[in-house]
């Protein structure tokens, strides 16, 4: 081991954790402890069943005080879980917390190494590396920054609405940004919610109105977050407010402009009705929209396309709300925390051509049928086919785009239950024979299994088997004019042909197509499927790896309304816990520039993912804003002159660790 200059004797304490049988089941702890006792500068080496427990931490504190230890090494689990725990223990014993080093002998050793002897040797090497490294550690000081108490929420579905109201009710200012002309999200399209069959609008509309009227909420609809700078507690956000060509402060939703539009009837697909109805170029998204204001679609409006419209809508508006000259605005806000609640998209079933979506007019997605059964939908709640007939038989195909390795491997969690709900509503309103084609029935929520049993008592048919094909090829007179669902009934072991009038595809949930853009915008992570990734699935389910940014709702993964609301409240609680501190402690493991070595080449500036590095024109060198630096080390690795260095990851510390691991 290389010599090191210091102001006194190096006295290291080494602590080996059993982690129950997680580590001790594979690594021979006694051998590692004996080995550690003979390493240079080690005064004491001990083991304990759970070092992160209070007795384990007390053991460390006691030794620091009684044995005058000035360096601590703990060999246990991932630093993500307990580095903070042990640094805190060292600090409480009077030692600078950065005279501490952690060796991960659980995830890196016992969980991944099959042979016990090999695992024990590997654990020894990692403990030795940590002992060599900690000698070169320095005392570091944390810095504190004030936290802006305002919160930004991206997404105005039920998750964003719930989080906004929770935070606003706590007395904090909230900016709620929604890209669509109205808040409400997918839930606004539903008629009933399972399993209680509550009216979705009756539940949601009061909350939407409460958002609009809340003095602490600034609602920015038809807007998108353009850029996010800054760091936890002090984010600077640019929001692009798209022109809707109607002043929402003046518009009262009287519909006069829509009635007087030169188009006498709707001509363009109504997005809110999933294309099942038509709208005009000027329209209100849906009757309960918030804000209840019209919007002009420039892609279909004659005035924007040719400039030759007589502008009857503008003349009809007594309040002068319509402004064809409205321009895009950039709004800048400063917030301390951000909650991402951008929701999901439904799977496009046209990717599975054998199910006939887009080819047969009477094959619908489940969301289209949600609009059909809704009293404010295109048919006023009447369930009819595209030719106006009432279906006498309906087939509901489960797991379309879910639990299928050819499309999406994951279970979308809600498909079974909303299929049961639609089956109930169709049976109730049409008396049709309803067939559910399922792989497995998954009803794990409160009251869900009871709802399933109720459906069976109502006479709904359940056929276990994955549907192979939906076709109109009839081979018997009974099948003429029908859609035929071909499926293997796995309970009786035969292939069946079920003729029906209507097919409903229970489509799964997929991530938003722009999830990767949002991920880059906020420096958060996505799973390989595209869902936003939480810091820890069990211990930090709404936090992300970017401090101050939280996630809520189905942007994290498929979930139903109760789970979405619960998670939104959890995210709101996390955001409140953060901003209520009024100041944030910044970790000192940031990068810094050795001014004598810096050549001002700009390489680090271009590479920094957090925009933390700028160029000092006066000195002609790079400058790092430590408040913005996240200690990712990119600049350190890229600097050709070694001018960029990082605290806690200095060259001598890294070299010593490598020496310890290899020698």
């Amino acid at each position: 081991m290389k010599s090191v200059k210091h102001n006194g004797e190096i006295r290291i304490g080494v602590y080996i954790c059993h982690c129950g049988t997680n580590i001790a089941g594979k690594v021979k702890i006694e051998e590692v402890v004996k080995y550690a006792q003979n390493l240079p500068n080690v005064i004491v080496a001990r083991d304990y069943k759970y070092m992160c427990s209070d007795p384990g931490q007390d053991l460390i504190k006691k030794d620091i005080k009684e044995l005058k230890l000035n360096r601590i090494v703990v060999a246990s689990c991932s630093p993500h879980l307990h580095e903070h725990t042990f640094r805190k223990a060292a600090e409480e014993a009077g030692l600078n917390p950065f005279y501490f080093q952690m060796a991960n002998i659980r995830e890196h050793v016992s969980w991944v190494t099959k042979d016990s002897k090999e695992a024990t040797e590997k654990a020894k090497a990692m403990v030795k590396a940590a002992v060599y490294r900690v000698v070169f550690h320095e005392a570091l000081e944390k810095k504190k920054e004030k936290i802006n108490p305002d919160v930004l929420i991206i997404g105005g579905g039920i998750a964003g609405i719930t989080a906004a109201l929770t935070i606003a009710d706590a007395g904090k200012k909230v900016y709620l940004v929604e890209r669509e002309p109205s808040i409400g999200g997918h839930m606004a399209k539903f008629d009933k919610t399972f399993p209680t069959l509550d009216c979705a609008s009756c539940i949601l509309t009061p909350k939407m109105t409460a958002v609009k009227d809340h003095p602490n909420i600034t609602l920015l609809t038809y807007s998108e977050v353009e850029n996010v700078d800054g760091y936890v507690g002090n984010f600077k956000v640019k929001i692009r407010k798209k022109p809707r060509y109607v002043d929402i402060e003046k518009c009262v939703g009287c519909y006069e402009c829509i009635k007087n539009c030169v188009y006498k009837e709707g001509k363009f697909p109504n997005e809110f009705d999933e294309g099942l109805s038509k709208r005009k170029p000027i329209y209100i998204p849906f009757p309960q929209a918030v804000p209840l204001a019209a919007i002009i679609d420039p892609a279909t409006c004659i005035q924007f396309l040719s400039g030759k419209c007589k502008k009857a809508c503008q003349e009809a508006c007594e309040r002068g709300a319509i402004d064809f000259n409205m321009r895009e605005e950039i709004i800048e806000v400063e917030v301390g925390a951000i909650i991402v609640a951008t929701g999901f998209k439904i799977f496009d079933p046209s990717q599975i051509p054998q199910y006939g979506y887009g080819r047969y007019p009477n094959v619908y997605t489940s969301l289209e049928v949600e609009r059909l059964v809704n009293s404010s939908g295109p048919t006023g709640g009447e369930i009819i086919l595209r030719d106006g007939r009432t279906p006498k038989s309906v087939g509901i195909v489960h797991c379309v785009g879910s639990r299928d390795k050819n499309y999406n491997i994951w279970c979308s969690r809600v498909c079974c239950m909303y299929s049961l709900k639609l089956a109930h509503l169709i049976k109730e309103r049409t008396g049709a024979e309803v067939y559910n084609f399922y792989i497995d029935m998954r009803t794990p929520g409160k009251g869900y299994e009871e709802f399933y049993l109720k459906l069976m008592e109502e006479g709904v048919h359940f056929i276990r088997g994955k549907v192979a094909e939906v076709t109109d090829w009839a081979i018997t007179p009974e099948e003429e004019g029908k859609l035929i669902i071909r499926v293997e009934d796995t309970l009786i072991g035969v292939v069946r042909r079920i003729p029906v009038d209507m097919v409903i595809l229970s489509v799964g949930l997929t991530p938003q197509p722009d999830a990767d853009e949002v991920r880059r915008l906020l420096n958060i992570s996505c799973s390989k499927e595209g869902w936003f990734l939480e810091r820890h699935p069990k211990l930090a389910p709404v936090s992300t790896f970017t401090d101050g940014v939280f996630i809520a709702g189905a942007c994290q993964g498929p979930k139903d309304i109760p789970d979405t609301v619960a998670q939104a409240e959890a995210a709101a609680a996390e955001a409140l816990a953060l901003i209520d501190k009024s100041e944030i402690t910044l970790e000192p493991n940031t990068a810094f520039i050795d001014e004598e070595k810096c050549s001002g080449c700009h390489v680090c500036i271009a590479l920094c993912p957090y925009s933390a590095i700028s160029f000092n024109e006066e000195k002609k060198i790079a400058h790092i804003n430590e408040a913005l630096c996240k200690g990712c080390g990119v600049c350190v690795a890229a600097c050709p002159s070694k001018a960029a260095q990082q605290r806690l990851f200095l060259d001598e510390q890294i070299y010593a660790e490598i020496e310890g691991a290899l020698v």
Side-chain angles (χ1 to χ4, degrees):
M1 183 180 181
K2 293 179 180 177
S3 62
V4 57
K5 293 181 180 178
H6 51 82
N7 294 326
E9 181 187 6
I10 298 294
R11 298 175 67 83
I12 303 174
V14 179
Y15 300 88
I16 317 294
C17 181
H18 294 229
C19 198
T21 57
N22 278 300
I23 296 173
K26 186 64 63 67
V27 176
K28 296 177 181 175
I29 300 294
E30 288 184 10
E31 277 191 39
V32 181
V33 172
K34 288 180 182 176
Y35 177 78
Q37 285 174 337
N38 295 314
L39 292 173
N41 300 310
V42 172
I43 304 301
V44 63
R46 302 185 194 277
D47 64 290
Y48 194 73
K49 196 168 185 178
Y50 292 104
M51 196 57 72
C52 60
S53 65
D54 284 345
Q57 293 180 60
D58 291 341
L59 192 66
I60 297 173
K61 294 176 191 175
K62 185 169 177 285
D63 283 352
I64 290 174
K65 292 175 181 175
E66 294 183 356
L67 302 177
K68 301 189 184 307
L69 302 179
N70 53 24
R71 301 286 192 282
I72 298 297
V73 169
V74 174
S76 58
C77 56
S78 166
H80 272 303
L81 284 178
H82 283 303
E83 186 176 61
H84 175 74
T85 303
F86 297 119
R87 279 182 178 170
K88 185 168 175 282
E91 190 171 23
E92 288 174 355
L95 185 65
N96 186 288
F98 297 96
Y99 282 134
F100 164 80
Q101 178 63 18
M102 199 165 179
N104 185 352
I105 62 170
R106 191 178 73 175
E107 283 88 339
H108 291 174
V109 179
S110 63
W111 281 3
V112 295
T113 312
K114 292 183 179 178
D115 182 70
S116 176
K117 183 177 179 182
E118 187 182 343
T120 304
E121 293 303 313
K122 192 174 177 183
K124 290 178 184 175
M126 294 191 69
V127 170
K128 184 181 174 188
V131 168
Y132 274 43
R133 186 191 208 278
V134 79
V135 171
F136 291 89
H137 277 209
E138 299 173 336
L140 300 175
E141 296 298 328
K142 295 179 181 177
K143 294 181 179 178
K144 293 188 176 181
E145 291 277 341
K146 288 187 177 179
I147 293 178
N148 187 316
D150 298 346
V151 178
L152 171 73
I153 297 175
I154 307 173
I158 184 60
I161 289 172
T162 302
L165 289 174
T166 303
I167 295 170
D169 286 344
K172 308 298 181 185
K173 177 76 177 175
V174 176
Y175 297 95
L176 177 57
V177 178
E178 167 57 49
R179 78 169 94 191
E180 299 296 333
S182 168
I183 57 174
H186 283 92
M187 188 175 171
K189 298 184 178 183
F190 303 159
D191 183 54
K192 305 280 187 184
T193 58
F194 60 76
T196 52
L197 298 177
D198 291 317
C199 167
S201 293
C202 303
I203 300 171
L204 182 63
T205 305
K207 285 184 172 288
M208 293 166 64
T209 305
V211 165
K212 178 177 69 73
D213 295 336
H214 206 296
N216 289 336
I217 297 177
T218 299
L219 179 58
L220 298 166
T221 54
Y222 210 44
S223 304
E224 295 189 56
V225 174
E226 188 80 4
N227 188 51
V228 177
D229 284 327
Y231 51 94
V232 54
N234 296 278
F235 293 106
K236 295 180 180 177
V237 184
K238 288 183 180 176
I239 300 166
R240 182 164 57 90
K241 190 174 182 181
K242 295 175 282 188
R244 60 192 297 156
Y245 306 106
V246 176
D247 187 338
I248 60 173
E249 299 298 327
K250 296 178 180 176
C251 181
V252 294
C254 67
Y255 286 83
E256 285 301 315
C257 56
I258 301 171
K259 292 176 185 172
N260 285 276
C261 175
V262 294
Y263 285 97
K264 298 305 176 189
E265 300 292 335
K267 187 179 179 182
F268 308 100
N270 185 331
E271 297 85 352
F272 190 77
D273 279 340
E274 297 293 305
L276 295 175
S277 66
K278 304 291 185 183
R279 62 161 173 80
K280 297 180 180 180
I282 185 166
Y283 64 101
I284 292 176
F286 55 100
Q288 302 85 13
V290 172
L292 186 62
I295 180 171
I296 296 176
D297 176 12
T300 57
C301 175
I302 293 175
Q303 177 60 26
F304 287 98
L305 294 175
S306 65
K308 296 179 180 177
C309 182
K310 60 181 182 180
K311 303 179 184 177
C313 58
Q314 194 175 40
E315 292 177 8
C317 182
E318 296 178 352
R319 296 171 175 268
I322 297 176
D323 179 5
F324 288 101
N325 297 315
M326 193 174 279
R327 294 288 180 268
E328 186 176 280
E329 292 179 57
I330 297 295
I331 299 169
E332 297 187 18
V333 300
E334 295 185 5
V335 297
I338 298 173
I339 295 176
V340 186
T342 50
F344 63 93
K345 296 292 278 187
I346 63 167
F347 176 78
D348 177 7
S350 62
Q351 297 178 52
I352 310 179
Q354 60 268 33
Y355 286 168
Y357 182 74
R359 185 152 49 98
Y360 302 124
N362 292 326
V363 177
Y364 295 80
T365 67
S366 46
L367 197 53
E368 288 173 337
V369 178
E370 291 279 1
R371 294 307 302 151
L372 283 181
V373 300
N374 195 304
S375 58
S376 66
T379 59
E382 192 177 354
I383 301 170
I384 54 175
L385 301 171
R386 293 185 199 270
D387 59 7
R389 290 182 296 125
T390 299
K392 296 180 179 176
S393 54
V394 177
I396 302 176
V397 182
H398 293 215
C399 296
V400 177
S402 299
R403 303 181 67 206
D404 187 333
K405 64 181 180 182
N406 295 314
Y407 302 100
N408 298 319
I409 193 68
W410 58 83
C411 173
S412 290
R413 291 187 62 187
V414 294
C415 309
C416 284
M417 286 305 298
Y418 76 59
S419 297
L420 295 176
K421 177 191 73 176
L422 291 176
H424 169 81
L425 294 176
I426 291 168
K427 188 82 177 172
E428 180 184 68
R429 298 185 189 182
T430 67
E433 292 295 323
V434 181
Y435 300 87
N436 274 269
F437 301 90
Y438 68 99
I439 303 173
D440 291 315
M441 192 60 70
R442 299 187 171 183
T443 56
K446 185 178 181 182
Y448 289 9
E449 185 68 12
E450 293 88 333
F451 190 72
Y452 174 34
L453 297 174
K454 175 185 172 186
L455 263 289
M456 286 196 286
E457 293 172 358
E458 288 179 355
V460 173
H461 305 287
F462 290 90
I463 299 174
R464 184 185 171 204
K466 188 174 178 62
V467 170
E469 184 183 29
V470 176
T471 180
D472 61 354
W473 180 50
I475 59 176
T476 64
E478 293 77 19
E479 293 179 355
E480 292 291 342
K482 301 270 188 178
L483 292 168
I484 297 98
I485 298 175
R486 199 162 63 84
V487 60
E488 181 187 7
D489 189 330
T490 57
L491 293 180
I492 58 176
V494 298
V495 175
R496 299 178 64 179
R497 292 171 61 87
I498 309 291
V500 294
D501 295 320
M502 171 189 265
V503 172
I504 302 171
L505 303 179
S506 296
V507 289
L509 276 52
T510 64
Q512 290 279 10
D514 64 346
D516 195 56
E517 293 174 28
V518 176
R519 177 189 70 78
R520 292 173 186 275
L521 192 68
L522 298 166
N523 287 315
I524 59 179
S525 303
C526 283
S527 65
K528 64 181 180 180
E529 297 87 5
W531 305 107
F532 293 133
L533 199 61
E534 64 283 343
R535 183 183 285 267
H536 191 283
K538 300 177 183 65
L539 303 179
V542 299
S543 301
T544 68
F545 287 101
T546 298
D547 293 339
V549 178
F550 307 97
I551 50 179
C555 65
Q556 185 204 22
K559 51 179 65 72
D560 58 17
I561 293 171
D563 284 357
T564 296
V565 170
Q567 197 189 26
E569 291 183 339
E574 290 277 7
L576 286 170
L578 171 69
I579 59 181
D580 270 351
K581 291 178 183 173
S582 73
E583 60 181 19
I584 185 79
T585 303
L586 300 177
E587 290 294 316
N589 58 330
T590 53
F592 62 94
I593 298 293
D594 185 336
E595 295 187 0
E596 292 184 1
K597 293 181 179 177
C598 182
S599 62
C601 68
H602 286 69
V603 169
C604 56
I605 299 174
L607 291 175
C608 179
Y610 301 100
S611 304
I613 309 178
S614 58
F615 190 71
N616 186 324
E617 293 291 348
E618 185 179 339
K619 295 182 178 179
K620 303 297 181 188
I621 60 173
H623 170 73
I624 295 177
N625 183 339
E626 294 184 13
L628 294 176
C629 178
K630 294 290 183 185
C632 67
V634 169
C635 58
V636 181
C639 181
S641 57
K642 295 187 177 180
Q645 293 286 312
Q646 184 174 336
R647 299 178 183 89
L648 269 186
F649 292 92
L650 299 174
D651 285 351
E652 57 187 5
Q653 295 167 347
I654 301 298
Y655 290 145
E657 188 171 10
I658 294 172
E659 182 187 355
L662 298 180
V663 177

